[in-house]
Structures are given as structure tokens and as C-alpha cells.
Amino acid sequence: MQLKNDLLLRVIKGEEVERTPVWLMRQAGRILPEYRAVRDSVSGFIELAKTPELAAEVTIQPVDILGVDAAIIFSDILVIPEAMGLPYEMVEKRGPWFPNTVRSESDIKKIHIPDVKDSLSYVLEAIKITKKGLNGRVPLIGFAGAPWTIFAYMVEGSGSKTFSKARAMLYQEPVLAHSLLEMITIATVKYLKAQVEAGANLVQLFDSWAGILPPDHYREFSLKYIDTICNAITEVPVTVFAKGAFFARREMGELNCDVVGLDWNMDISESRELVGNRKVFQGNLDPAALYGSEDSIKAATSRMMASFGGARHIANLGHGLYPDLDPGKVKLFIDLVKSYPR
Ligand code: CP3
């Protein structure tokens, strides 16, 4: 189907566009009271994610309410560990928790590469329903966690400031670490391809914990697998967002991906020099800037837009929205990007 608003896809193709497209990481589910209402009708996040009609509804909410130029399917990166045999719980105010973890050879034997069309059918169904509901209004973004970030949760068993158990494994059991990363990579390629088949117009890899690895480990235990995934996904554009991986920007330029996400610590013109001209950039306003006054949001947005210089840019934040941001201020940012003069 021809999309009515295909700004985002045209920017990725390198076309001249009338204005910069904008969407926000974590736009579905974090700030909208309309989301809370749907979520409160079920037992919690996981049930919501596993109910395709409701997942589709909250995916479309930011398109209707905030006016973003893309939808991102409502799900979580942690559905992959679950499909591999490691279920998780979402503990209110604390985040994800895994009753079982992978720390040894025998733990690896207990997990498997999933048949994604079976174990993740709820996500694929949500994508299909969302596509119908969007009716071609904007593109739909599919996503997955990058293998290193998924590995970090599977080994650690929860969120962590240091992920020291996951990082210890890279030093103590590198062979074991690589075999887990390989399994995650195979599962992720299958999962992303299934999302595309179900209707995702582009996909994004979230490497949320990229920034805690030293550069040599990042190359060996993360980039290598991201590279494999980028080479495997040939059907749609791929975005790589590696939070904190300022040290790997040159390598990002060499990946077989279309879009590179920048976090707010990354200087925009320095990033252009390091990454080169072949990639579209996505980002990178500090999410905390949206706590500021309207005037300061206007100034920060203009500064960001001017630094990107209008070309080859998808406007976004430098990481996901924070849950306590005021939806009105979030909408202000979106409107400012949309009306930014060319
Ligand atoms: O972008 C979107 O709006 C689509 C949905 C989406 C969710 N999680 C829904 C969610 C996406 C793209 C994610 C990605 C995700 N999940 C990442 C990568 C992006 C990032 O922020 O770095 C990570 C690291 C996770 C893991 C995760 N899921 C954590 C740490 C938590 C708890 C804290 C939090 O973020 O709220 C979650 C829960 C989660 N995932 C919620 C939502 C809407 C909150 C659940 C609730 O409603 O209580």
C-alpha cells in the first residue's frame, strides 16, 4: 500500500523532503494518560503486549495524539529472551526481572532458538492489526534489542548500573559468551524478518547498553553481531541506535545500515565527520530538555535542527522519553520540528 506520509522513508532513500520527519523513542506507552487507561484494563505490561488488539491500539495512540511521522510497534526487546526459554516479569517501578539466567554451559543447553512465528505470533499479529488501523497514514517501525543488550539482561537477570555479571562473562567465559550471542543473533534475524513480513516498513536495533563496554569488547561482542544482522536484513531500511557508543562512530559508518541513531552526548558535526555522509542520522535532543520552559524547548530544538542542517535527518530524542514528561511539552517539540523552516 502507498503510504500517505512516507517522509521518513523518503529521507532514508536520500530524497529531498519538504520537512524533517519526527518520531520519539518510547513514544508508545510512557507518557500518555490514554496509554495508562488501556494498561489499567489488563493485569500489566506483559498482558498488554500479548493482547494484539490492545498493543495495536497503544501503538497508534501517539500518531493520533502527538502527530508523529511514524509508529513503533508496542512490545519490548525482552520478548526474545522469553521466546528463547527465559521468561521475565515486569516489576512495577523496578523494571524487568528474570527468575532464571544464563551463566553456564548447562544454562545455555536449556535455551533454544525459537520458532518466532509460533512463540512471537502475538507481536506479528499486533503488527498486522496496527497496519490495518494505520491504513497507510505513517510507516510502522519494527524493532529488536541488539544482541549485546539482550545478552546483558539474560546473564544479569535484571537491569543494573554496571551489568557486572554480564561483563564478567566476557572476561571469564568468552567462548560461552559468543555462543549465547550467536544464538541471540540468529533468533533476532528470524524475528526481524518475521516483523517485516507482517508489515514493518523499517526496523531499529536498540543497543541500550553499548556504552558500558570498552571499545575492543564492543567490537568483539556487539558490533560483530550487529553487522551480521544488518547484512541479513535486506528487505527494509535498518536503524542502529547504540546508546553511549561514541567510541564506535567510525565503525557505525561502515555497517550495512541506513540510519545511525545519536544520543545527546554525541556532538552532531563531529558525528558527521566520524560516520561519514552515507548514513541518515536520527536524534538527538536530550530528553531532559523537555522538562524545560517552552522558551528553552524552542531554543534547544532550534539548536538541534540547525546543527543537523536539514539534510539526511530524522528528528528524535537522544534516548527514550522519560515517563514523567508532560505530553504537552512533548507535543510542542514535535510541532516545532514540523514547522522548522527549511
Ligand atoms: O518505543 C516504544 O514506545 C515502543 C515500545 C517499547 C517498549 N520498550 C515498551 C515498554 C520499546 C521500543 C522498548 C524498548 C526497550 N525495552 C529497551 C530499549 C530502549 C531503551 O529504552 O534503551 C529496553 C532497554 C527495554 C527493557 C525494559 N522494558 C525496561 C528496562 C523496562 C522498565 C522501565 C521502563 O522503561 O519503563 C521496560 C518496560 C517497558 N517497555 C514499558 C513499556 C511501555 C513500561 C511498562 C509499563 O507500562 O509499566
Side-chain angles (χ1 to χ4, degrees), residues 222-240:
S222 183
L223 261 182
K224 173 176 179 240
Y225 297 101
I226 291 178
D227 189 51
T228 302
I229 296 171
C230 291
N231 288 332
I233 306 297
T234 50
E235 302 85 347
V236 294
V238 178
T239 299
V240 176

Side-chain angles (χ1 to χ4, degrees), residues 5-7 10 16-20 338 340-342:
N5 173 352
D6 61 351
L7 268 179
R10 284 191 283 132
E16 284 284 327
V17 288
E18 40 303 359
R19 65 170 177 84
T20 302
K338 287 166 112 177
Y340 189 79
R342 275 277 150 141

